[in-house]
């Protein structure tokens, strides 16, 4: 037993740094720039609706408009990721979003950026994201060795969360000094830069293998057949079925109330401004970064499912604590712990999926996983908006949601054996 432990420890030490892989470095850079853009856009858009337009109840409609196309096109995005150059798909998504934001700047100059153009923009961003995320998730295993996957996922997750720490604070600074025109201009330029890096990744990828595979698939399968093939692959995996079923209910109780609730919580409960909202966004990202660092340092290879399920259970408790907090300090305390729980839940499970999924199905499996996680998300946004519209306080909505989340998490902990035992 002691000898096995020594061998395992030696293997962990010998895993080379992911930053020695040139293609991974490029992926890291594009996701870094892209993640900052997402952070800027999210803070600016949410605060624009709540503060500038004064339409708090419409915030849920904006989220609904972005989540529905992600849901509808995610499966197609997974098939495209398996058939086409993933880096090319990422380029089109980043570049087109940058161009769209340049158009928004024109609307801002004429004070024509009202709620419905904003909803339309959210819809188009949702469509483009539906193609971007399966491609970016599926390309990661092609940039590193298999034994580097957990650490590679950790670095990418830390990159995103790091941007969510610094990004909201930078966004608040830009809003305070240069207004919405400045922040949307910087976001547009950042997305175009990300697109350029995507093209560099495309140039460095093994095109021949990817192209040959794409031609074979296109000759044998239609789009519908490819989606059915992905569904059939998932159905034969008890682990994937259990994971997707769990995420459907988790996100219903968690994502809608938290995402809609944070700007309102900052404004109503904490009596704050855009800086307060930025700190809450940054707080959850700090937690996710800390959780990611912990997972990365440990380079978890065993019992990844059990670790994720335990973190998932603590997620419900931290959300409950956040919903009951009434001071800035207590809110930051719980939101940071909430972030830690999210990272420790997500990173090991993603590594398990990438390690045990055939490469020709990976794009579809990642898209189906995202599809499941967003299955009830539009409903969650609409229900939350409906409750806000009829006058129910955001703190009560979050409290009830937190209780529901805690119940679901503990059911998964005790009933989902296939998740607990996944390595």
């Amino acid at each position: 037993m002691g000898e096995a432990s020594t061998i395992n420890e030696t293997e962990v030490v010998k895993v080379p740094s992911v930053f020695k892989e040139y293609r991974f470095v490029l992926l890291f850079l594009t996701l870094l720039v892209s993640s900052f853009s997402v952070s800027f856009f999210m803070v600016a858009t949410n605060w624009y609706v709540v503060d500038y337009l004064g339409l708090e109840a419409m915030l849920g409609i904006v989220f609904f408009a972005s989540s529905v196309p992600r849901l509808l096109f995610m499966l197609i995005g997974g098939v495209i990721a398996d058939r086409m150059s993933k880096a090319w798909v990422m380029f089109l998504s980043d570049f087109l979003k940058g161009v769209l934001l340049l158009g928004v700047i024109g609307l801002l100059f004429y004070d024509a950026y009202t709620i419905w153009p904003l909803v339309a923009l959210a819809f188009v961003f949702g469509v483009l994201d539906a193609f971007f995320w399966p491609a970016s998730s599926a390309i990661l295993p092609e940039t590193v060795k298999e034994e580097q996957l957990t650490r590679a996922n950790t670095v990418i997750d830390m990159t995103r969360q790091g941007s969510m720490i610094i990004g909201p604070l930078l966004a608040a600074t830009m809003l305070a000094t240069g207004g919405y025109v400045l922040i949307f201009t910087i976001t547009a330029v950042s997305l175009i830069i990300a697109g350029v890096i995507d093209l560099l990744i495309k140039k460095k990828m093994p095109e021949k293998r990817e192209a040959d595979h794409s031609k074979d698939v296109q000759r044998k399968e239609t789009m519908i057949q490819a989606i059915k093939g992905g569904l059939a692959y998932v159905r034969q995996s008890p682990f994937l079925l259990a994971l997707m079923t769990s995420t459907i209910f988790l996100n219903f109780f968690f994502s809608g109330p938290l995402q809609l609730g944070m700007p309102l919580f900052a404004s109503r409960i904490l009596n704050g401004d855009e800086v307060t909202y930025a700190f809450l966004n940054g707080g959850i990202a700090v937690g996710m970064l800390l959780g990611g660092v912990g997972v990365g340092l440990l380079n978890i290879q065993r019992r990844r499912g059990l670790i994720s399920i335990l973190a998932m259970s603590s997620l419900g408790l931290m959300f409950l604590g956040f919903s009951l907090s009434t001071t800035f300090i207590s809110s930051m305390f719980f939101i940071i712990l909430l972030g830690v729980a999210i990272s420790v839940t997500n990173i090991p499970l993603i590594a398990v999926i990438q390690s045990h999924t055939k490469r020709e199905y990976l794009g579809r499996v990642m898209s189906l996983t995202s599809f499941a996680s967003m299955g009830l998300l539009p409903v969650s946004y609409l229900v939350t908006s409906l409750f806000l519209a009829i006058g129910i306080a955001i703190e009560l909505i979050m409290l009830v949601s937190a209780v529901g989340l805690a119940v679901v998490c503990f059911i998964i902990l005790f009933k989902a054996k296939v998740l607990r035992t996944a390595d």
Side-chain angles (χ1 to χ4, degrees), residues 24-226:
F24 177 79
V25 172
L26 289 175
L27 181 63
F28 164 76
L29 289 174
T30 191
L31 290 178
L32 176 66
V33 177
S34 208
S35 296
F36 268 100
S37 303
V38 169
S39 180
F40 293 163
F41 179 76
M42 181 184 69
V43 171
T45 300
N46 293 352
W47 200 252
Y48 188 84
V49 174
V50 171
D51 185 62
Y52 186 82
L53 297 179
L55 299 172
E56 295 177 350
M58 290 296 291
L59 191 57
I61 304 301
V62 175
F63 277 100
F64 179 81
S66 65
S67 61
V68 167
R70 287 192 185 102
L71 188 64
L72 295 178
F73 291 96
M74 188 68 73
L75 297 182
I76 297 174
V79 174
I80 296 298
D82 285 335
R83 290 187 174 189
M84 292 180 58
S85 165
K86 300 169 183 63
W88 181 247
V89 174
M90 293 165 62
F91 161 74
L92 289 175
S93 178
D94 281 332
F95 184 77
L96 290 175
K97 283 188 286 189
V99 171
L100 282 170
L101 282 181
L102 291 177
V104 167
I105 295 165
L107 293 177
L108 287 170
F109 273 116
Y110 292 98
D111 200 24
Y113 193 46
T114 57
I115 188 64
W116 295 115
L118 195 152
V119 169
L121 179 71
F123 180 87
V124 177
F125 265 52
V127 173
L128 295 173
D129 280 345
F131 292 92
F132 180 86
W133 293 114
S136 63
S137 297
I139 201 173
L140 177 60
E142 298 179 23
T143 64
V144 295
K145 300 177 179 64
E146 185 173 347
E147 63 270 21
Q148 296 172 309
L149 265 179
T150 298
R151 282 184 177 165
N153 277 289
T154 299
V155 170
I156 295 302
D157 187 76
M158 288 167 57
T159 299
R160 289 176 179 148
Q161 305 326 317
S163 71
M164 293 298 290
I165 297 169
I166 304 170
L169 299 177
L170 291 176
T173 301
M174 286 184 280
L175 284 173
T177 57
Y180 293 100
V181 172
L182 176 64
I183 193 170
F184 281 122
T185 300
I186 291 176
T187 305
V189 172
S190 298
L191 285 166
I192 292 171
I193 291 172
V196 172
I197 303 173
D198 294 333
L199 290 179
L200 292 175
I201 296 175
K202 183 179 184 299
K203 186 177 179 181
K204 295 297 180 181
M205 293 302 290
E207 294 288 347
K208 185 177 185 303
R209 185 187 65 182
E210 200 169 39
D212 290 346
H213 174 65
S214 296
K215 290 176 183 176
D216 290 341
V217 173
Q218 288 169 358
R219 281 197 298 266
K220 295 176 183 178
E221 292 183 323
T222 65
M223 183 71 71
I224 298 298
Q225 288 172 333

Side-chain angles (χ1 to χ4, degrees), residues 259-271:
Q259 290 189 42
L260 295 184
M262 276 208 292
L264 302 180
F265 197 87
S267 177
R268 292 183 182 180
I269 307 304
L270 302 180
N271 296 315

